[in-house]
C-alpha cells in the first residue's frame, strides 16, 4: 500500500531525524546511526559522542535528563528497518521527502536560500513555549514558556542569559503566559491568561506595572514604534491599546482600538509602516483562520483567510502566527505543514511564497530581523534561527 506524502513527512519529522542535530538518521553513515539510550530515547551516534563526558563516558539525556552511559547505547534497528522500508517504496529518492511546500498561481515557488543556522532550547530548557520576541540591539531572544521561571532570555547562540517571572500569583509573578513582546525601550511585556492581566518588566526582570481588570482573556501582544502596547482579547473580541509610562510604571491610557473581532489571538505591529496584523480564529474545529491588517489609525486595509489561500496552493494553510518583515511584508507560520510563508504586502491578491520548510515541527511564533528568521517551534520546544 502506498504511503501518502503527508504521512512520509510526519514519519520523517517524528521518527527518522535526530532531535538534537535535526539530521536524518542513516545506518550507512556511522555518525548518523540511530542509537538507543538506556532511558529509551534515540539520538544519532554523533550527538551521543558530542554530549558525553570525554572521561566518564556518560551523558544526560537531553529529553528526560536521565544519566546514561555512552558505552551502553545500542543500534536502533527498528528505525533502520523503517527507513529501509520507506526507501524501498521510493527507489528514486535517497531519503523520504516531505510534500512540496506550496504552489503559487505562477507555479512552483523557488528556494529563498534561507538555511537553519542554529537551534537551542529543547525539552527541559523550554517547556511548552508559546511566545517569542527579540530584545533591542543585542538581538537577545525572549521566550515565554511553562517553566518555573516563565520568561527565558537567550543569546542568538543559545546561551541562557537570564530568566524571571516566577510561577505564582504574587506581584511580579506569572501564572500562565501566552505571548511576549519587547518595547523599543527594552521592556518585556507578557500576557498572562492565568490572572487575565498584562504584565510589564524591565529586561532584567524587575516588575514595572500590571494591567488587570480590563481584560476577559488577553492573548497576543506586540508594541508599536511609539512603545504603545497592543493586546488581543479572545473572549472580548477586541484589540486594546495601552499607553504606559515605563519609567513611572503607570498606565496613561487604555482604549479599544478594534472591536467586533472573532477570537483574536496573534498580534504583530510593523515598526516601519505602523500597520497592525491580527489573527482571528473563526472555527477551531475546522482550523479556520482569518488575517486582518489595520492601518496606523486602525482602519481595515486587508483581510485574507486560510481557505482562500489554500485555493492558490497545494496545501491547506493553517495560519498559526504572524509577523512583519522589515519592508512591511506579512509573514505567516503554518503549524500543520511546518512552514514559514510570506504574503508580500497584501496590496493586491496575496502571493503565497514559502520561505522556510525544513526542520520545523509546529511553529507557533516568529520574529523577522532583516534576512534572519527566528522561529519558536512548540513541537520540539526549541528556537530555530534561519538566515540567508
Amino acid at each position: 500500500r502506498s504511503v501518502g506524502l503527508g504521512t512520509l513527512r510526519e514519519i520523517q519529522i517524528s521518527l527518522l531525524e535526530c532531535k538534537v542535530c535535526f539530521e536524518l538518521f542513516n545506518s550507512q553513515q556511522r555518525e548518523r546511526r540511530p542509537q538507543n539510550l538506556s532511558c529509551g530515547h534515540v539520538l544519532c551516534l554523533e550527538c551521543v559522542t558530542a554530549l558525553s563526558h570525554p572521561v566518564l563516558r556518560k551523558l544526560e539525556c537531553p529529553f528526560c535528563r536521565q544519566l546514561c552511559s555512552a558505552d551502553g547505547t545500542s543500534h536502533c534497528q527498528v528505525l533502520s528497518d523503517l527507513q529501509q522500508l520507506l526507501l524501498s517504496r521510493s527507489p528514486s529518492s535517497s531519503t523520504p521527502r516531505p510534500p512540496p511546500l506550496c504552489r503559487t498561481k505562477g507555479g512552483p515557488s523557488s528556494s529563498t536560500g534561507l538555511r537553519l543556522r542554529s537551534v537551542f532550547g529543547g525539552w527541559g530548557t523550554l517547556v511548552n513555549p508559546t511566545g517569542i520576541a527579540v530584545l533591542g540591539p543585542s538581538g537577545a531572544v525572549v521566550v515565554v514558556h511553562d517553566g518555573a521561571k516563565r520568561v527565558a532570555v537567550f543569546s542568538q547562540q543559545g546561551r541562557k542569559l537570564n530568566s524571571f517571572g516566577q510561577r505564582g500569583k504574587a506581584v511580579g509573578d506569572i501564572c500562565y503566559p501566552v505571548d511576549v513582546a519587547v518595547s523599543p525601550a527594552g521592556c518585556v511585556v507578557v500576557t498572562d491568561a492565568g490572572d487575565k492581566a498584562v504584565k510589564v518588566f524591565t529586561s532584567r526582570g524587575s516588575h514595572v506595572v500590571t494591567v488587570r481588570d480590563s481584560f476577559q482573556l488577553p492573548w497576543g501582544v506586540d508594541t508599536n514604534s511609539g512603545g504603545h502596547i497592543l493586546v488581543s482579547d479572545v473572549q472580548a473580541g477586541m484589540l486594546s491599546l495601552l499607553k504606559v509610562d515605563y519609567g513611572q510604571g503607570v498606565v496613561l491610557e487604555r482604549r479599544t482600538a478594534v472591536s467586533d473581532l472573532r477570537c483574536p489571538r496573534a498580534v504583530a505591529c510593523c515598526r516601519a509602516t505602523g500597520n497592525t496584523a491580527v489573527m482571528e480564529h473563526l472555527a477551531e474545529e475546522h482550523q479556520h483562520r482569518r488575517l486582518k491588517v489595520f492601518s496606523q489609525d486602525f482602519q481595515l486595509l486587508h483581510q485574507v483567510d486560510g481557505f482562500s489561500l489554500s485555493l492558490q496552493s497545494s496545501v491547506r494553510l493553517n495560519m498559526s502566527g504572524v509577523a512583519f518583515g522589515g519592508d512591511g511584508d506579512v509573514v505567516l507560520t503554518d503549524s500543520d505543514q511546518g512552514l514559514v510563508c510570506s504574503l508580500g504586502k497584501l496590496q493586491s491578491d496575496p502571493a503565497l511564497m514559502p520561505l522556510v520548510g525544513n526542520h520545523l515541527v509546529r511553529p507557533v511564533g516568529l520574529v523577522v530581523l532583516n534576512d534572519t528568521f527566528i522561529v519558536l517551534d512548540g513541537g520540539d520546544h526549541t528556537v530555530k534561527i534561519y538566515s540567508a
Side-chain angles (χ1 to χ4, degrees):
R1 181 179 296 178
S2 62
V3 180
L5 288 173
T7 304
L8 279 177
R9 181 182 184 276
E10 186 65 29
I11 292 172
Q12 177 177 320
I13 289 175
S14 301
L15 297 175
L16 297 183
E17 71 176 20
C18 174
K19 292 304 181 185
V20 174
C21 65
F22 299 99
E23 295 289 343
L24 284 176
F25 293 127
N26 189 336
S27 298
Q28 306 306 313
Q29 296 180 20
R30 184 177 183 276
E31 67 276 9
R32 294 284 170 247
R33 291 178 184 172
Q35 298 294 116
N36 292 307
L37 299 181
S38 58
C39 61
H41 290 105
V42 181
L43 306 179
C44 71
L45 182 59
E46 184 176 60
C47 288
V48 170
T49 304
L51 295 173
S52 301
H53 190 281
V55 177
L56 301 177
R57 299 290 296 160
K58 291 185 181 295
L59 72 151
E60 187 180 69
C61 173
F63 308 110
C64 67
R65 302 301 180 187
Q66 181 174 321
L67 192 63
C68 303
S69 169
D71 298 321
T73 63
S74 61
H75 179 62
C76 186
Q77 189 62 44
V78 173
L79 289 185
S80 294
D81 291 345
L82 176 60
Q83 194 168 47
Q84 284 300 116
L85 177 64
L86 294 176
L87 287 174
S88 69
R89 293 172 180 264
S90 306
S92 62
S93 175
S94 60
T95 58
R97 295 182 182 275
L101 295 181
C102 295
R103 289 179 182 268
T104 63
K105 288 189 286 188
S109 60
S110 59
S111 171
T112 61
L114 290 170
R115 299 179 63 85
L116 182 64
R117 191 181 83 197
S118 63
V119 179
F120 57 87
W123 182 261
T125 302
L126 293 174
V127 182
N128 299 325
T130 53
I132 189 169
V134 169
L135 187 60
S138 70
V141 179
V142 184
V143 179
V144 289
H145 69 130
D146 199 30
K149 293 187 176 180
R150 307 304 215 182
V151 182
V153 184
F154 302 87
S155 71
Q156 288 195 22
Q157 292 70 44
R159 184 167 62 91
K160 194 169 185 179
L161 305 175
N162 189 22
S163 61
F164 57 87
Q166 191 75 22
R167 179 191 295 129
K169 295 188 177 182
V171 174
D173 289 350
I174 300 175
C175 300
Y176 183 77
V178 179
D179 201 7
V180 63
V182 174
S183 74
C187 284
V188 176
V189 185
V190 178
T191 48
D192 190 340
D195 57 5
K196 302 176 182 178
V198 174
K199 300 176 180 181
V200 182
F201 303 86
T202 67
S203 60
R204 299 299 301 168
S206 298
H207 178 254
V208 174
V209 65
T210 292
V211 185
R212 54 167 50 93
D213 301 326
S214 300
F215 303 101
Q216 293 183 35
L217 186 60
W219 201 273
V221 65
D222 204 356
T223 61
N224 63 21
S225 58
H228 306 326
I229 302 169
L230 286 154
V231 183
S232 64
D233 191 318
V234 172
Q235 290 187 357
M238 64 176 58
L239 181 72
S240 296
L241 183 143
L242 304 176
K243 294 183 180 180
V244 175
D245 184 329
Y246 295 99
Q248 298 297 319
V250 296
V251 179
L252 303 176
E253 180 184 351
R254 187 240 185 233
R255 65 182 176 90
T256 300
V258 182
S259 58
D260 298 324
L261 295 170
R262 291 181 59 185
C263 295
R265 295 194 181 182
V267 175
C269 298
C270 181
R271 300 278 175 90
T273 64
N275 293 346
T276 300
V278 181
M279 187 84 69
E280 292 180 299
H281 289 227
L282 305 179
E284 190 70 39
E285 63 274 15
H286 300 298
Q287 298 179 333
H288 190 190
R289 312 283 193 264
R290 181 169 60 198
L291 179 71
K292 289 185 174 180
V293 179
F294 299 92
S295 66
Q296 192 166 8
D297 56 355
F298 301 106
Q299 300 300 308
L300 181 63
L301 297 176
H302 313 282
Q303 72 176 30
V304 62
D305 61 61
F307 177 75
S308 63
L309 289 174
S310 70
L311 297 178
Q312 307 173 32
S313 64
S314 59
V315 295
R316 183 174 178 84
L317 195 69
N318 179 23
M319 299 183 287
S320 57
V322 61
F324 283 99
D327 56 357
D329 283 3
V330 177
V331 184
L332 301 171
T333 60
D334 181 329
S335 59
D336 279 356
Q337 318 301 325
L339 297 177
V340 176
C341 301
S342 172
L343 293 182
K345 293 180 173 59
L346 291 178
Q347 293 172 345
S348 57
D349 290 340
L352 192 62
M353 170 69 73
L355 299 176
V356 177
N358 296 322
H359 307 292
L360 290 176
V361 183
R362 187 171 59 85
V364 295
L366 170 71
V367 177
V368 182
L369 297 175
N370 299 320
D371 62 348
T372 298
F373 286 65
I374 305 175
V375 184
L376 182 63
D377 195 332
D380 55 12
H381 317 276
T382 61
V383 175
K384 297 171 182 175
I385 300 181
Y386 296 81
S387 61

